Amino acid sequence: MEDVLAVYARPFDPRVPVVCMDEKPYQLLDHARAPIPSVPGSDLKEDCEYLRCGTCSIFVWVEPLAGKRRVIARRQRTRIDWAHEVDRLLTSDYPDAKKVVLVMDNLNTHTIGSLYEAFEPAKAFSLAQRLEIHHTPRHGSWLNIAEIELSALTRQCLDRRVADLDILNTELAAWQQAANADQRQVNWHMTTSDARTRLRHLYPEF
């Protein structure tokens, strides 16, 4: 826990950005019957029956101090998918960064080994050299700022049925553009000192 809190306490440095990532499964759903549109005096009406259209995984990347977000849905969340998202992070999102500090949970796909499964060794090594990885502890996902962003995304963008992956990515891109236009930063308050005081039951007693 203190490792992640120390990362969040670092000052903003565009050469070494701190980026948080998280992902969540999402079920694509369609209407079994066409909804009845809303009209003055009557709300939108939807049948409770729906059609399953498969699943996908939503990846969220957040740079808290810069107010930048990138969101994309992929058909799966395999090691290869994660590796290609990291490649995009380093080569497209932060091509000039000396190193990217990456905070995420310790899911079994979130490892340097995934890069070697997706790319030839020289490229995998080159990408790995530009990463500084910090994992949130078990049962400590609340420390991941990207998880908080996923919660906001779910409330603001995923409160309706979406049947197609392309449509979903269009919706996510619109949310991303609006969020980035606001440059809404994350003001993280929890410090290591706070943790040692308020969560002292997690520390050993001497």
Side-chain angles (χ1 to χ4, degrees), residues 39-54:
V39 295
S42 180
D43 294 332
L44 171 72
K45 295 181 176 62
E46 295 180 346
D47 196 299
C48 61
E49 187 178 351
Y50 56 84
L51 302 175
R52 300 177 187 271
C53 302

Side-chain angles (χ1 to χ4, degrees), residues 125-170:
F125 179 77
S126 176
L127 293 173
Q129 289 297 104
R130 294 184 58 214
L131 286 176
E132 178 188 326
I133 294 177
H134 297 264
H135 290 293
T136 56
R138 290 185 63 187
H139 311 299
S141 60
W142 58 272
L143 286 165
N144 191 347
I145 292 174
E147 182 173 285
I148 300 170
E149 288 294 318
L150 264 176
S151 177
L153 169 66
T154 300
R155 295 192 309 271
Q156 298 168 4
C157 182
L158 304 178
D159 58 348
R160 55 196 176 280
R161 296 172 188 170
V162 180
D164 181 78
L165 185 63
D166 291 335
I167 295 175
L168 175 61
N169 273 317
T170 300

Side-chain angles (χ1 to χ4, degrees), residues 12-57:
F12 176 66
D13 185 353
R15 299 169 302 171
V16 188
V18 174
V19 177
C20 304
M21 76 83 51
D22 199 9
E23 55 188 272
K24 68 169 287 180
Y26 182 77
Q27 187 171 39
L28 298 168
L29 300 173
D30 199 1
H31 297 282
R33 298 173 184 82
I36 300 175
S38 60
V39 295
S42 180
D43 294 332
L44 171 72
K45 295 181 176 62
E46 295 180 346
D47 196 299
C48 61
E49 187 178 351
Y50 56 84
L51 302 175
R52 300 177 187 271
C53 302
T55 60
C56 62
S57 188

Side-chain angles (χ1 to χ4, degrees), residues 98-116:
K98 177 182 178 182
K99 188 179 288 286
V100 172
V101 181
L102 186 56
V103 177
M104 57 188 171
D105 61 28
N106 52 12
L107 193 66
N108 62 351
T109 57
H110 299 168
T111 67
I112 295 299
S114 297
L115 299 177
Y116 283 87

Side-chain angles (χ1 to χ4, degrees), residues 152-199:
L153 169 66
T154 300
R155 295 192 309 271
Q156 298 168 4
C157 182
L158 304 178
D159 58 348
R160 55 196 176 280
R161 296 172 188 170
V162 180
D164 181 78
L165 185 63
D166 291 335
I167 295 175
L168 175 61
N169 273 317
T170 300
E171 297 279 341
L172 295 176
W175 181 88
Q176 170 188 306
Q177 183 177 4
N180 288 342
D182 289 341
Q183 290 187 319
R184 187 178 70 244
Q185 300 172 338
V186 177
N187 186 12
W188 184 266
H189 292 279
M190 186 76 164
T191 65
T192 300
S193 178
D194 293 331
R196 292 173 182 173
T197 302
R198 296 160 58 185
L199 302 176

